[in-house]
Amino acid sequence: MRHLPGLPDEHPFHEVFRKLISREDAWVSSQWMTERPGGSDVRNSETVAVHSPLPNKSSTIGRIDEGDYLLSGFKWFASAADCDVALILAKTDSGELSLFLAPTRTTCSGANGKQFETTNGARIHRMKNKMGTKELPTAEIELRDARAWMIGPKDKGISTIALLLNVTRTHNFITALSCWRRAMHIAKSFAKARQVLDQPLWTFPMHVRLLSNLEVKHHGAMQLAFFTTSLLSFTDYGFPESASVAHLPLPDPGRHTEVLLRTLTATTKAIICKVATLALQECQEALGGVGYLDDPDDPEFNISRLFRDTAANMTWEGTTNVLASEVVRHVLNRDHLDIVAGWMRQAIEKITDPDLKSSLGHSSSKFFDDLAAYKSNIGAALAHGRQQMFTLGWLISGVLLALDAERDRDEIAFEVAKRWVLRGEGGFGEFVLPGVMQVGHSEIRVSEREQREWDCRIVWGLELPLDAAQGFRPMVNKPRL
C-alpha cells in the first residue's frame, strides 16, 4: 500500500490491491522466500531475476502477468501454493536481493487465436507433509521464467519486505494468542464438569493454581500483543488524538515509533508463539486422555489440533533464535538502545502505584545498563539473545499490565500486575534473566489461603467456595462390623 501513491492510476498494482482487500472473490497472496541453502538467512537465496520486458504489452504499462522481470529458482517451502499472487525475493544482475510480485497464472493466446490461462512459470515438485496447518497447501516450487514486477527500490528487497513481516508476524502472534485462549476455555469447561478424588476439579488447589498461572501469562501476552498491533496501525494510518490514548505509553511519532515497532514485532512474535505453544501443551494435559485425542469429528474440543497448528508459528516468519538475534542486533544498532530505553523510562513514569513503579524502574535500569555494556561486543550479547529478548518483553508487559490496572481500577487486574511484576509469578520467568526480575521483587508475601482465593478470582471471577476441594480424598470413619 505504501508504494501505490507514486504509481500511475493504470498500474496493475492498484488492481492487485483492490483484489486483495475485496470482501467478494478476493485474491490470496503468499510470500515465497525459503530456499534450500537457507531459510531465515535469505541472503543465501539462489533465485535470479532477469530484466526482460515484453516488446508488446496489452496496454501502456501492462497487466499484472506482463511484468518486466523473469524469475528462475527453487522455493523449498512455499505456503499457500494455491495463491493468486506471490511476493518473491530474487537477485538481480547486481547480486543483491530485490522484491518482486508475480501472479501464479498468466493469459496466453493459442494457435487458434483463443486465449487461455496457464501457470506463470511455476511448477510444483511435491507437496509438504507437515505436523500441523494441514489445510494450508505447502509445496516445493520451481520457478522457470516467471513474469514478475519489482516492488520498491532495486537491491533493497530485504528492507522492502520487512514492512510485510510486521504484518505477517502480527498475524502469527494474534493467531497463537487466540488458539491459546480457546484452549483455556476448553480446559476450564472440562474442569467445571470433572470430579477428582470425589471433589470438583474446578476448585482443586493444584489445578486452579495452574489455570491462574496460565491466565496471568495470557493477560501479559495479550497486553503485549495489542500494544504492538496498535503501533502497527498508528504507523500506517497516523496517531489518534492524544486525549483518546492518554493511558497508552506511546512513543513519539516518526523514527522513534519505527524503531520501537521493529523491536516489538519480532519480540512479541517470538515470545507469544513460544509461550502459547507451551501453554497449549498444559491445556492438553489438563484434559488427560481427552486432551490427547485428535478427532476431526469433534473440533470444538480438539486441543491437539490447536497445539499442532500453533507450533508452526514458532518457525514461520523467524524462529525464536532468529528473532532474538534480530532484536539484539537491532536494539544495539546506532542509537536504538537510547530510543527504546528512553521510551521505557517515560512509560514507567506514567505508573502511579509506588510499588509497581519502583520495581519496574529498578528492573528496567538494570536491564538496559547490562545491555549497554554489550554495545561493543555483539557476539557476547547474542549468546544471551533469548534471555535479553524475553526480559524486554517481560518488562514491557509489566508496564502495560500496571497501566491497564490503574486505568480500570480493577482489583483482579491489579493482582495480575502484582504477580507479574512484584512476585514474578505466571510471567515469562523461565526465559527471563533472573537478575533483572529479582532486583524488583517485593518481599511482601501473601498467605497460602489468600493465594488460593486470588487464584479462584483470576480464573473464575468468583470467591473461593467454603467447601472447595482439599486436593486429597478425606478419610471417612466407617462403622465397625
Side-chain angles (χ1 to χ4, degrees):
M1 187 180 72
R2 292 192 178 188
H3 300 281
L4 294 181
L7 299 176
D9 292 341
E10 61 271 22
H11 197 286
F13 281 5
H14 292 287
E15 177 64 17
V16 172
F17 181 69
R18 285 192 292 269
K19 288 281 191 180
L20 291 175
I21 65 172
S22 175
R23 291 184 179 274
E24 297 180 2
D25 194 26
W27 277 8
V28 173
S29 176
S30 181
Q31 50 173 317
W32 296 346
M33 293 197 295
T34 304
E35 300 191 10
R36 287 172 292 198
S40 301
D41 190 0
V42 294
R43 293 189 183 276
N44 288 335
S45 298
E46 297 175 332
T47 302
V48 297
V50 177
H51 188 244
S52 180
L54 289 169
N56 297 301
K57 294 187 178 183
S58 58
S59 62
T60 305
I61 297 177
R63 302 188 307 259
I64 186 60
D65 60 345
E66 296 177 330
D68 292 336
Y69 284 84
L70 295 176
L71 309 186
S72 297
F74 193 90
K75 299 299 180 178
W76 183 80
F77 197 93
S79 285
D82 58 345
C83 64
D84 298 282
V85 290
L87 289 164
I88 303 171
L89 286 172
K91 292 180 177 178
T92 61
D93 52 1
S94 66
E96 297 294 329
L97 288 169
S98 296
L99 181 61
F100 298 89
L101 179 69
T104 53
R105 293 177 292 277
T106 184
T107 301
C108 299
S109 297
N112 57 2
K114 290 185 178 181
Q115 291 189 331
F116 64 96
E117 204 173 62
T118 186
T119 180
N120 179 27
R123 177 190 174 202
I124 294 178
H125 276 224
R126 65 171 179 171
M127 304 302 294
K128 294 292 192 182
N129 187 16
K130 302 170 294 179
M131 182 179 87
T133 62
K134 294 181 181 295
E135 295 76 16
L136 179 68
T138 302
E140 295 178 9
I141 296 180
E142 179 189 1
L143 300 175
R144 188 177 298 172
D145 290 340
R147 285 229 162 255
W149 293 88
M150 183 181 290
I151 300 178
K154 184 180 178 182
D155 300 340
K156 299 294 183 181
I158 295 178
S159 60
T160 304
I161 204 169
L163 298 173
L164 173 66
L165 292 178
N166 285 339
V167 177
T168 54
R169 288 172 176 174
T170 299
H171 182 273
N172 275 177
F173 64 70
I174 290 294
T175 300
L177 195 67
S178 62
C179 289
W180 179 1
R181 182 76 262 170
R182 180 175 180 81
M184 286 286 292
H185 279 306
I186 295 172
K188 290 166 70 172
S189 296
F190 183 84
K192 278 283 191 179
R194 189 73 167 177
Q195 293 279 323
V196 177
L197 300 176
D198 303 324
Q199 302 165 63
L201 180 58
W202 75 274
T203 61
F204 208 78
M206 188 184 300
H207 200 66
V208 181
R209 181 65 48 82
L210 167 68
L211 293 176
S212 69
N213 284 338
L214 291 177
E215 286 285 0
V216 170
K217 284 184 179 181
H218 194 274
H219 276 66
M222 187 166 60
Q223 290 291 337
L224 186 63
F226 283 100
F227 181 71
T228 304
T229 306
S230 68
L231 282 188
L232 177 61
S233 175
F234 297 158
T235 301
D236 286 343
Y237 300 105
F239 278 65
E241 296 181 4
S242 58
S244 64
V245 290
H247 61 284
L248 286 178
L250 295 178
D252 294 332
R255 184 167 176 268
H256 281 213
T257 297
E258 292 174 359
V259 169
L260 185 61
L261 177 61
R262 182 174 174 185
T263 305
L264 278 177
T265 49
T267 299
T268 306
K269 186 270 178 187
I271 289 177
I272 291 181
C273 292
K274 172 65 74 177
V275 177
T277 303
L278 299 176
L280 276 158
Q281 189 277 325
E282 291 282 12
C283 292
Q284 183 186 49
E285 189 178 341
L287 272 66
V290 175
Y292 193 66
L293 297 177
D294 190 8
D295 190 350
D297 296 327
D298 198 14
E300 293 84 0
F301 306 105
N302 194 337
I303 293 183
S304 294
R305 176 179 172 180
L306 294 174
F307 176 70
R308 288 187 288 103
D309 288 353
T310 303
N313 288 317
M314 290 191 295
T315 298
W316 283 351
E317 315 307 346
T319 64
T320 308
N321 277 5
V322 167
L323 293 175
S325 175
E326 180 180 320
V327 169
V328 171
R329 291 178 186 276
H330 173 66
V331 172
L332 293 180
N333 187 31
R334 298 165 59 187
D335 61 344
H336 297 173
L337 181 63
D338 294 334
I339 291 175
V340 177
W343 167 78
M344 180 69 80
R345 285 193 296 269
Q346 293 176 2
I348 294 173
E349 278 300 312
K350 283 179 167 282
I351 301 171
T352 58
D353 182 275
D355 293 333
L356 293 173
K357 185 174 184 176
S358 175
S359 177
L360 285 165
H362 284 106
S363 293
S364 178
S365 295
K366 178 170 178 53
F367 172 71
F368 285 108
D369 287 346
D370 290 350
L371 191 57
Y374 289 112
K375 189 109 174 150
S376 59
N377 191 352
I378 300 294
L382 290 174
H384 303 284
R386 277 194 178 214
Q387 291 87 348
Q388 303 283 11
M389 179 183 66
F390 273 89
T391 304
L392 178 61
W394 173 78
L395 284 167
I396 296 173
S397 292
V399 171
L400 296 171
L401 285 169
L403 292 173
D404 177 67
E406 292 182 346
R407 181 192 64 178
D408 296 339
R409 311 306 302 177
D410 182 87
E411 62 174 6
I412 294 179
F414 265 114
E415 176 64 16
V416 170
K418 289 176 181 178
R419 288 189 176 197
W420 189 282
V421 176
L422 303 180
R423 301 198 290 272
E425 299 174 10
F428 310 138
E430 60 266 45
F431 300 107
V432 175
L433 293 166
V436 174
M437 280 187 70
Q438 292 167 3
V439 74
H441 277 186
S442 170
E443 297 298 324
I444 301 174
R445 297 298 175 189
V446 298
S447 68
E448 181 58 34
R449 177 68 187 184
E450 289 177 306
Q451 182 86 339
R452 285 190 62 197
E453 289 173 348
W454 275 114
D455 287 343
C456 192
R457 295 187 191 111
I458 290 171
V459 176
W460 305 113
L462 302 170
E463 296 299 321
L464 185 69
L466 295 175
D467 60 344
Q470 299 178 49
F472 59 91
R473 182 174 282 116
M475 296 295 293
V476 178
N477 291 326
K478 296 182 179 180
R480 293 182 179 180
L481 296 178

